[in-house]
Amino acid sequence: MTMFRRMKSSAKALRYIAPVLLTAFAAPAIAATPAKPAKPALPSAQAIPLPLNPIVGEGQRLCSTKTASGLGTLNLKPASAAKPAKADFVLVNYIGYLAASGVTFDQGMQAAFPVDGVIPGFSEGLQLMAKGSTWRFCVPSALGYGAQESGPIPANSDLVFQVELLEFKTAAEIEAMRAAQGAQPVAPPSQP
């Protein structure tokens, strides 16, 4: 079960808050992005290697420290801002790959979801991150999908995620934004 399949149980809550999340997260990013003049692209004579599934190198599958639960961590880009809580909603760029082989199984840009709507190791790691930081999480199978196979993820697989925390909002902030827009209240996410 990939991270997003597990979040299907939170789909009802996300359906109600998705427009608010996109508005809340996109507005600051759009305002902060300076306009750049477009340069014409030049043709490249390099062929793209096939298959188009990136393999992450061995050094990028390792973490330097462990939490009490066994989650491996490595802070790749420190920041000293606020950190999300378990009940918050985040906006992240991430890539997930198998620790044993480096095969990429999932990735997302500006992905919005509840902190507690993903596998335990990913959720724990998000709560360690300051806004604007980038971390690597080495998730042992017990904090991932365990003995359960999940799509391209074999049973008992240790996983690695590189995550950049772009933004986060509390459930109260999301609710206030929805109220200001005259929308329905946010339903609390259900547990998988």
Side-chain angles (χ1 to χ4, degrees):
M1 173 184 300
T2 65
M3 178 171 49
F4 289 110
R5 280 192 199 155
R6 185 156 188 200
M7 291 184 337
K8 279 185 181 178
S9 62
S10 299
K12 289 181 184 176
L14 289 175
R15 181 178 61 228
Y16 292 113
I17 64 165
V20 175
L21 283 174
L22 292 175
T23 302
F25 291 139
I30 292 170
T33 306
K36 295 181 183 178
K39 292 182 182 179
L42 299 174
S44 171
Q46 282 189 317
I48 298 170
L50 296 174
L52 193 57
N53 288 333
I55 305 294
V56 178
E58 189 173 347
Q60 293 175 311
R61 293 183 252 152
L62 303 173
C63 292
S64 58
T65 60
K66 282 191 178 183
T67 66
S69 70
L71 174 68
T73 64
L74 179 60
N75 191 339
L76 302 170
K77 179 183 159 196
S80 58
K83 298 175 182 179
K86 191 173 189 172
D88 291 345
F89 294 83
V90 295
L91 182 71
V92 300
N93 294 332
Y94 73 93
I95 182 169
Y97 43 100
L98 301 175
S101 65
V103 171
T104 300
F105 61 82
D106 195 8
Q107 57 186 311
M109 297 294 292
Q110 297 189 1
F113 49 84
V115 172
D116 65 350
V118 293
I119 59 173
F122 198 93
S123 178
E124 179 184 345
L126 286 169
Q127 295 171 70
L128 299 173
M129 299 182 73
K131 178 181 167 183
S133 66
T134 302
W135 286 57
R136 180 178 305 142
F137 304 132
C138 298
V139 180
S141 66
L143 295 176
Y145 298 104
Q148 184 176 1
E149 180 180 309
S150 178
I153 303 170
N156 301 309
S157 291
D158 294 337
L159 310 174
V160 182
F161 292 93
Q162 178 178 299
V163 184
E164 177 185 12
L165 179 58
L166 303 172
E167 182 64 83
F168 70 92
K169 301 283 184 194
T170 66
E173 289 173 315
I174 298 296
E175 184 62 37
M177 286 185 279
R178 288 198 61 77
Q181 293 177 351
Q184 296 178 356
V186 175
S190 57
Q191 293 298 317

